[in-house]
Amino acid sequence: MILLISMCSDKLHELEFVKPIENVVGKCLVRHYKNFTLKDIEKADKVIISGTSLKDDFFLKELERFNWIRDYAKPVLGICAGMQIISLIFRGKLRKKKEIGYYRENFVKEFLSLKDEHEVYHLHNNYVSLPKDFIKFTDSKIPQAIKHNSKNIYGVLFHPEVRNSKLIEEFLNLV
Amino acid sequence: MKLGVLFSGGKDSVYAAYLAKKNKHELSCLISIHSENKGSYMFHTPNISKTKKQSEVMNIPLIIQKTSGEKEIELKDLEEAISKAKLKYKIQGVVTGAIQSVYQSTRIQKICDKLGLECFNPLWQIDEEEYLKMLIKDKFKTILVGVFAYPFDEFWLGKEINSKFLKEIKLFNEKYQIHVAGEGGEFETFVLDCPLFSNSLKIKNKKILKEGENSFRMEVEL
């Protein structure tokens, strides 16, 4: 079972940032970040943490809800806000950088099916510096796609549910 | 939250408004852009002057902004219209009917960001078949008012989006790659009735205009 964690403060935004991921994943357990339990996390085979709107950064005040990621052994994928959370939990630093719309990113190593140049959809005000124990997969200045050195913990600053859904499918195929 | 709806009168903007209301938001005003450029990538043009009638039956004020429709000018005009809505109706966010167009949504996101407004796109990346089924289930009376691709002809104008239409459009999708929700600009729609309307709009007169081999518009008088 996949646990999909919604990072949206407003229910209406879930149609924009959570539902499109759910459409790729299929049957899954969707929980808001204020409502999931440790039992949900234990039961899940994999966890996906969604993004949210440009103005919605309330999650930054509630990072302690995600401390479990540090010791989690199963695969996790953080999308936009989700990636920022993962990086902050592993002690990266929050920095300002606004990117809206399509950007070309060069994947120097294959990352969940993406390699070489790809157009990706960005919608964020911030990014987080690369934490220790993580590697980045693009040659961009800021980390756009990262993975933990030894665990299956992935993060993307862009939104793969917009025209790059095969990235999510590849994550679902991880053994 | 007080929201302004980017409103063309077609299924996408009306259904986006419906979802916003359903999620307890206040629809403070409708914002319609009247573009003189019929090929605009940003705004749908047919029957947009009829949005006034829709705003009346929705009992929501309407801001109309005219634009020449040239690429960058229409964005400035859109920004001006949203600024007016912010000033006059104290909106805190904008809701749009964007489904797939990164071009549209990027530009609207940037304008909202500049003006300090939330941006809601409740139809973003929606499954098109599921979407049409939702429209039908939620009692939207939506008709085709423009067709712009092979194999459509003038006989499609005025057809209602119902389960029969869904079957036909799915066949067109399989055979001619027509997008089921018309996202590729294959057809344009107009909403005559929905749960946001106090009463149904009736067509008094209609005029069909041929614009090309498989390109027809229907102008309606309500």
Side-chain angles (χ1 to χ4, degrees), chain B residues 109-206:
Chain B
Q109 288 279 4
K110 284 181 178 171
I111 290 171
C112 288
D113 180 56
K114 191 175 167 190
L115 299 175
L117 296 170
E118 259 297 359
C119 185
F120 293 93
N121 301 287
L123 304 180
W124 191 232
Q125 308 296 304
I126 197 167
D127 177 88
E128 58 267 30
E129 196 181 325
E130 190 187 333
Y131 170 41
L132 291 199
K133 283 180 183 165
M134 285 158 72
L135 275 177
I136 298 164
K137 183 177 147 281
D138 289 328
K139 300 189 167 34
F140 272 62
K141 188 176 181 186
T142 308
I143 57 163
L144 266 60
V145 288
V147 290
F148 310 101
Y150 181 81
F152 285 116
D153 56 29
E154 70 264 44
F155 300 108
W156 282 81
L157 297 172
K159 270 201 184 192
E160 196 179 322
I161 293 185
N162 51 23
S163 47
K164 183 171 175 268
F165 175 85
L166 184 58
K167 272 185 205 156
E168 290 169 330
I169 203 75
K170 275 166 68 182
L171 287 177
F172 271 22
N173 174 264
E174 281 162 25
K175 212 166 170 188
Y176 307 105
Q177 287 78 51
I178 297 287
H179 190 276
V180 170
E183 187 62 9
E186 298 96 332
F187 59 88
E188 294 278 0
T189 62
F190 187 77
V191 176
L192 289 171
D193 199 10
C194 75
L196 295 174
F197 291 10
S198 57
N199 51 281
S200 176
L201 295 170
K202 303 270 182 289
I203 297 174
K204 288 179 190 157
N205 274 311
K206 57 187 176 187

Side-chain angles (χ1 to χ4, degrees), chain A residues 107-149:
Chain A
F107 292 80
V108 288
K109 280 175 280 189
E110 186 168 342
F111 182 87
L112 296 174
S113 84
L114 297 190
K115 56 185 174 184
D116 304 324
E117 275 219 333
H118 265 275
E119 269 194 326
V120 297
Y121 182 65
H122 282 303
L123 191 66
H124 58 88
N125 280 318
N126 300 318
Y127 76 98
V128 181
S129 64
L130 188 70
K132 200 177 150 248
D133 298 329
F134 275 75
I135 44 172
K136 64 173 187 154
F137 286 71
T138 56
D139 61 5
S140 50
K141 276 189 187 163
I142 67 172
Q144 298 285 1
I146 61 167
K147 183 189 173 291
H148 191 279
N149 272 333

Side-chain angles (χ1 to χ4, degrees), chain B residues 2 28-29 61-63 84-91:
Chain B
K2 283 169 161 290
S28 300
C29 65
L62 172 69
I63 291 177
K84 270 187 212 165
K86 187 182 171 188
L87 197 70
K88 194 168 178 187
Y89 299 105
K90 311 275 182 256
I91 61 165

Side-chain angles (χ1 to χ4, degrees), chain A residues 10-13 15-17 19-20 23 53-56 98 100-103 121 123 125 161-163, chain B residues 1 3 19-20 23 25 100-102 105-106 109-110 113 116-122 124-125 127 130:
Chain A
D10 194 303
K11 196 95 182 123
L12 188 59
H13 270 140
L15 296 174
E16 186 175 349
F17 296 100
K19 190 74 174 60
N23 287 347
S53 78
L54 210 50
K55 275 179 77 71
D56 182 3
K98 192 188 297 292
I100 302 172
Y102 260 152
Y103 287 76
Y121 182 65
L123 191 66
N125 280 318
E161 70 275 20
V162 182
R163 300 198 194 165
Chain B
M1 193 181 288
L3 298 179
L19 290 174
N23 280 275
H25 289 285
Q100 291 278 349
S101 171
V102 168
S105 75
T106 298
Q109 288 279 4
K110 284 181 178 171
D113 180 56
L117 296 170
E118 259 297 359
C119 185
F120 293 93
N121 301 287
W124 191 232
Q125 308 296 304
D127 177 88
E130 190 187 333

